[in-house]
């Protein structure tokens, strides 16, 4: 009887709560909210988007204009082989000539010598340029041996009188000294070069126009009419 009572008494007791084992994970504390960092992140995103927008707008403001790839002497017009299109900013304030107008520009003349790499603005060109005071244009008809290879517009050259008749009516002493060539002009500029490329047979002849001082025009014209002028390239002024 006693054994049964003990058993019954033990069965009537409530079960003790289970103790957590050492390996169980404790609940983590709630994360601390940082609204300032969130606002900063949003601000950085907005600034990045704004910067990208401004970059796109700046690229959109660029225009295609004319840049020289070769020298254009004063009084000469440009040709298609001396120019190329480049992109520049439209907010520079310069009067750049758009690439779409390059054909119209060929009808005008450079007011001064223009060099490769120059981005063309409207003020560089005008109508028929008036000749500079005290200057003259002299045309020469040259044969092979009277000019150097690759002669082109804008070159600085010296003109020499050559040939057996270079002394004209001068004394024998002058004739002897001229056999090696008399210097007519020490330094002048090639204004225009026209090659004999359109002829059926290329004879090697060359038409060259020089821009010279008016005081040198008479002597140069006299030598040119006799076919006794040779050109030598010299350093530019």
């Amino acid at each position: 009887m006693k054994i049964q009572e003990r058993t019954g008494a033990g069965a009537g007791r409530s079960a003790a709560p289970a103790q957590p084992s050492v390996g169980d994970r404790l609940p983590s504390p709630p994360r601390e909210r940082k609204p300032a960092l969130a606002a900063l992140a949003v601000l950085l995103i907005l600034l990045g988007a704004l910067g990208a927008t401004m970059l796109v707008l700046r690229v959109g403001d660029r225009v295609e204009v004319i840049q020289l790839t070769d020298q254009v002497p004063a009084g000469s017009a440009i040709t298609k082989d001396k120019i190329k299109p480049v992109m520049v900013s439209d907010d520079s304030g310069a009067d750049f000539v758009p690439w779409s107008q390059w054909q119209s520009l060929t009808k005008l003349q450079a007011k001064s010598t223009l060099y490769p790499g120059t981005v063309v603005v409207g003020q560089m060109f005008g109508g028929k340029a008036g000749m500079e005071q005290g200057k003259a244009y002299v045309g020469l008809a040259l044969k092979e041996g009277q000019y150097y290879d690759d002669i082109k517009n804008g070159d600085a050259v010296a003109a020499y009188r050559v040939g057996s008749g270079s002394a004209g009516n001068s004394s024998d002493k002058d004739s002897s000294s001229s056999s090696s060539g008399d210097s007519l002009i020490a330094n002048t500029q090639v204004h225009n070069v026209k090659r004999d490329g359109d002829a059926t047979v290329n004879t090697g002849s060359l038409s060259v126009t020089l821009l010279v001082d008016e005081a040198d025009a008479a002597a140069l014209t006299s030598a040119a009419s006799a076919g006794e002028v040779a050109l030598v390239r010299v350093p530019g002024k």
Side-chain angles (χ1 to χ4, degrees):
M1 289 293 296
K2 291 183 179 180
I3 294 175
Q4 291 177 356
E5 290 178 357
R6 289 179 180 177
T7 305
R13 296 177 182 177
S14 60
Q19 297 295 326
S21 64
V22 177
D24 290 343
R25 178 181 296 177
L26 297 176
S28 59
R31 293 184 178 180
E32 181 181 358
R33 296 183 179 275
K34 297 182 179 180
L37 290 178
L40 179 60
V42 173
L43 179 60
L44 291 176
I45 293 173
L46 292 176
L47 288 176
L50 179 61
T53 302
M54 292 299 295
L55 181 60
V56 171
L57 290 176
R58 279 188 170 273
V59 172
D61 287 341
R62 293 168 68 84
V63 294
E64 192 176 42
V65 300
I66 299 172
Q67 185 181 50
L68 298 179
T69 59
D70 200 355
Q71 181 172 310
V72 178
S76 298
I78 66 169
T79 53
K80 183 70 180 293
D81 60 332
K82 293 186 177 181
I83 57 176
K84 70 176 183 179
V86 293
M87 302 298 293
V88 298
S89 175
D90 193 30
D91 58 2
S92 63
D95 186 21
F96 294 121
V97 179
W99 175 255
S100 59
Q101 298 180 10
W102 73 266
Q103 288 181 319
S104 299
L105 196 62
T106 60
K107 301 176 183 178
L108 303 177
Q109 294 179 339
K111 295 180 179 179
S112 60
T113 300
L114 304 176
Y115 298 94
T118 301
V119 178
V120 175
V121 297
Q123 292 81 359
M124 294 177 179
F125 289 83
K128 291 291 183 178
M131 188 176 299
E132 185 181 346
Q133 188 70 26
K135 294 290 186 178
Y137 291 123
V138 178
L140 309 176
L142 304 178
K143 299 178 180 179
E144 286 186 346
Q146 292 180 303
Y147 59 90
Y148 55 92
D149 292 338
D150 299 326
I151 185 172
K152 62 184 181 299
N153 297 356
D155 282 356
V157 297
Y160 290 89
R161 186 163 190 166
V162 295
S164 59
S166 62
N169 296 325
S170 61
S171 65
D172 293 340
K173 178 179 180 181
D174 292 336
S175 178
S176 175
S177 64
S178 65
S179 61
S180 59
D182 291 336
S183 176
L184 292 169
I185 302 175
N187 195 316
T188 189
Q189 186 183 62
V190 176
H191 174 71
N192 187 49
V193 176
K194 184 178 180 181
R195 299 184 182 275
D196 189 23
D198 296 332
T200 303
V201 178
N202 191 339
T203 61
S205 62
L206 192 72
S207 297
V208 178
T209 301
L210 300 184
L211 177 62
V212 303
D213 291 335
E214 192 173 1
D216 297 326
L220 183 60
T221 301
S222 176
S225 64
E228 298 173 351
V229 177
L231 298 181
V232 179
R233 189 169 185 177
V234 297
K237 295 180 180 180

